[in-house]
Amino acid sequence: MKYLESFKKYFLPNYKRAIFKAKLLNDKDTLLELQNSIWSNWNLTKNEKIKLLKELGIWKI
């Protein structure tokens, strides 16, 4: 299993829940922290990070 697939299986639901909560509370700082968390993952390529951010809806904040 590739890293991206395992990342999506394990972390994506947690990220989605946290993003949903942050958007409900209009908490831009939390959204930026979540975005930075994905950007700082050194196991993902730049294109994979961009795809994940777009999928999560936090590509452009």
Side-chain angles (χ1 to χ4, degrees):
M1 182 181 290
K2 290 186 177 183
Y3 180 77
L4 180 62
E5 294 169 0
S6 62
F7 182 88
K8 282 185 171 183
K9 184 178 179 182
Y10 184 77
F11 287 110
L12 213 57
N14 297 329
Y15 273 107
K16 285 182 179 181
R17 197 173 310 117
I19 289 168
F20 178 75
K21 195 177 211 180
K23 284 183 176 182
L24 274 177
L25 298 173
N26 201 22
D27 189 359
K28 192 172 185 177
D29 293 332
T30 302
L31 291 172
L32 289 173
E33 287 178 25
L34 291 167
Q35 185 184 47
N36 288 332
S37 172
I38 292 175
W39 276 115
S40 65
N41 188 328
W42 56 273
N43 290 314
L44 298 170
T45 65
K46 184 177 179 181
N47 289 334
E48 291 172 340
K49 291 175 188 178
I50 291 171
K51 286 179 185 177
L52 279 172
L53 291 171
K54 286 182 179 180
E55 185 175 336
L56 292 169
I58 56 173
W59 166 240
K60 299 282 183 176
I61 298 177

